[in-house]
Amino acid sequence: GSEESPAASDSAGEETAASDQESAEAATEELGDLLSSTYVDMMKGNEYFMKYKASLDLDGTKTEATVTMAVSGENTAMTTSGQGFESNMLMKDGKVYMIDHANKMVTSFAQTQTDVSAETDTIDTSGITYVGTGNEDGLVYEEYTTDGGTLRYYFDGKDLVKIKMTAEGVETVMEILEMSKEVPADLFEIPADYQNVSM
């Protein structure tokens, strides 16, 4: 059915879940549990690692890029690489660091100088609210509204395969290659032997 069970029954049946897979799955269906809830919680908790392919529109030219993004609390590390370019950005301690591995240089500036969220495609989950589910291109999606737009999580069976984010009229499609709540700490380290330039 399409009726939603009240969220209050959310934690029911957790103890027995491990012992009997089938009844656990039935219970999950019954609770109206969402495939995306794990991922939404991960993002809301600001502790996750994801690797995805994105289609970017760079000055009117469509280009594909592979993005690795790690979020840990207030800190975000992001590597974007594509045809002939790579950018490494690190946001921590209220600063943005652009790391240039080719020239062993780090350029840093205060985070307030730029609208960082628009620049980095970090996923804004503020005010996230589930609105419904649907089907597109043979995939099931679960849709949420956020303060800034919408988020759709697409699944092939139980596997998250893509996320479509719409914010301020700009649509970003992320083809998920990897997603986990294990965040490698070394992604937030600034190489000590690099020349540091402050803007």
Side-chain angles (χ1 to χ4, degrees), residues 56 67 76 100 124 157 195:
L56 305 172
V67 180
T76 302
D100 177 353
D124 184 9
Q195 184 188 347

Side-chain angles (χ1 to χ4, degrees), residues 65-161:
T66 300
V67 180
T68 304
M69 182 161 84
V71 175
S72 181
E74 297 287 300
N75 301 340
T76 302
M78 195 164 198
T79 298
T80 308
S81 55
Q83 192 66 48
F85 72 91
E86 180 176 294
S87 93
N88 295 281
M89 185 188 299
L90 182 57
M91 284 177 277
K92 68 178 201 176
D93 313 325
K95 283 188 173 174
V96 178
Y97 299 90
M98 303 299 290
I99 301 171
D100 177 353
H101 292 298
N103 297 305
K104 294 199 163 194
M105 266 182 71
V106 179
T107 307
S108 63
F109 47 90
Q111 211 161 310
T112 49
Q113 287 181 13
T114 175
D115 181 1
V116 171
S117 61
E119 231 178 62
T120 58
D121 295 333
T122 48
I123 298 165
D124 184 9
T125 55
S126 51
I128 191 162
T129 310
Y130 174 65
V131 287
T133 182
N135 247 308
E136 192 180 292
D137 301 334
L139 299 173
V140 170
Y141 68 79
E142 293 172 351
E143 184 169 340
Y144 293 80
T145 53
T146 63
D147 289 347
T150 59
L151 274 175
R152 272 187 186 179
Y153 296 81
Y154 290 80
F155 293 88
D156 183 356
K158 289 191 172 173
D159 298 326
L160 177 67
V161 289

